[in-house]
Amino acid sequence: MQDAPLTTGRRRSPLVSRRDALRYATAASALAGLGATAAGAGIPTASAAGPTLIDYAMRQIPAQDIRAAGHSGVINYVSTSRPGSSFGAKPITLPYAQSLTAAGLVIVSNYQYGKPGGTAPSDFTRGFAGGVADARTAWHLHTAAGGGRSAPIFFSVDDDIDRTTWNNVALQWFRGINSVLGVQRTGIYAGVNPCQWAVADGVIGRSSSPGHVWAWQTRSWSRGQIYPAAVLYQRVIDTASNPGPVVGGIRVDVNDVLASDCGQWNLHP
């Protein structure tokens, strides 16, 4: 996700294959729920395939710029900046959230404080107690900004981990999160494998869109695969070598909406 300076160089996997892209386009064309909501509220859709949400951390992007770029909303942070950094969009604030909502844009919550090689370790390495602490912080910031009481928060596994690391490290962190928020309000941001492991181990909740769970899948570490149960897919990832599109003067990541209920606040009061 886009929570690093523009010079960051995280390892990324190749673009999805043409076959998977076509498979996604077919699925996305059925996003009647969010599409209808967008049409009814005057929210632009980014493409014929379906709505898109952007994520970013450098600073708050004015709502009118997001609308003008053709996006339906945002995935914003309910976490603070790491030591030594000062991201203007972390955490989302009540006035900013109100400006987005007033413009007819939807909001989804994400938590990420640490990162690999950063000034704070990856959040998923912090164990059960760390999960408890992170969930409490996320929920406080989410609700302070006006986030829905039944809305999920997506917690980040921003690294290429194997099953052993999942079982022995990340899973314990998610269990801690669950102990505070409950499974139904817990989501995951990760590559394709951790998204599936989170479902198998019962640590993330389910969307009201049939067949979908609170999985925000990144293209990174997914080897061209798209998890059919995911609600969001991070298709465009801003890096120094592959810049993302510019919205409101900064580069952003772009996420395809795969389900009409992707955890947006307005559906989860």
Side-chain angles (χ1 to χ4, degrees), residues 109-135:
S109 288
N110 166 247
Y111 181 90
Q112 182 177 5
Y113 179 69
K115 64 169 292 181
T119 55
S122 296
D123 302 329
F124 71 85
T125 65
R126 288 168 30 79
F128 186 95
V132 169
D134 292 343

Side-chain angles (χ1 to χ4, degrees), residues 106-161:
V106 302
I107 304 169
V108 174
S109 288
N110 166 247
Y111 181 90
Q112 182 177 5
Y113 179 69
K115 64 169 292 181
T119 55
S122 296
D123 302 329
F124 71 85
T125 65
R126 288 168 30 79
F128 186 95
V132 169
D134 292 343
R136 288 174 176 165
T137 297
W139 190 244
H140 169 72
L141 295 172
H142 169 89
T143 54
R149 291 280 172 169
S150 63
I153 298 174
F154 293 81
F155 290 82
S156 305
V157 178
D158 198 12
D159 204 352
D160 188 15
I161 66 172

Side-chain angles (χ1 to χ4, degrees), residues 23 157 161 163 166-167 171 174 188-204 206 213-218 221-223 225-230:
R23 179 162 58 88
V157 178
I161 66 172
R163 187 59 184 265
W166 170 263
N167 289 342
L171 180 57
F174 274 98
I188 187 173
Y189 165 91
V192 64
N193 285 340
C195 288
Q196 296 178 89
W197 299 333
V199 173
D201 288 323
V203 293
I204 63 172
R206 295 190 172 274
V213 297
W214 299 139
W216 171 18
Q217 182 193 343
T218 175
W221 320 301
S222 291
R223 301 171 302 283
Q225 301 175 52
I226 299 177
Y227 181 37

Side-chain angles (χ1 to χ4, degrees), residues 6 8 32 39 41 52 75 89 92 118 145-146 150-151 155 192 242 244 247 258 269:
L6 299 183
T8 189
T52 54
I75 306 168
I92 187 171
S150 63
F155 290 82
V192 64
N242 291 289
V247 179
L258 305 180

Side-chain angles (χ1 to χ4, degrees), residues 49-69:
T52 54
L53 308 182
I54 58 174
D55 68 274
Y56 47 93
M58 297 305 295
R59 63 177 175 81
Q60 295 176 345
I61 300 175
Q64 63 268 25
D65 292 338
I66 298 171
R67 285 183 57 90

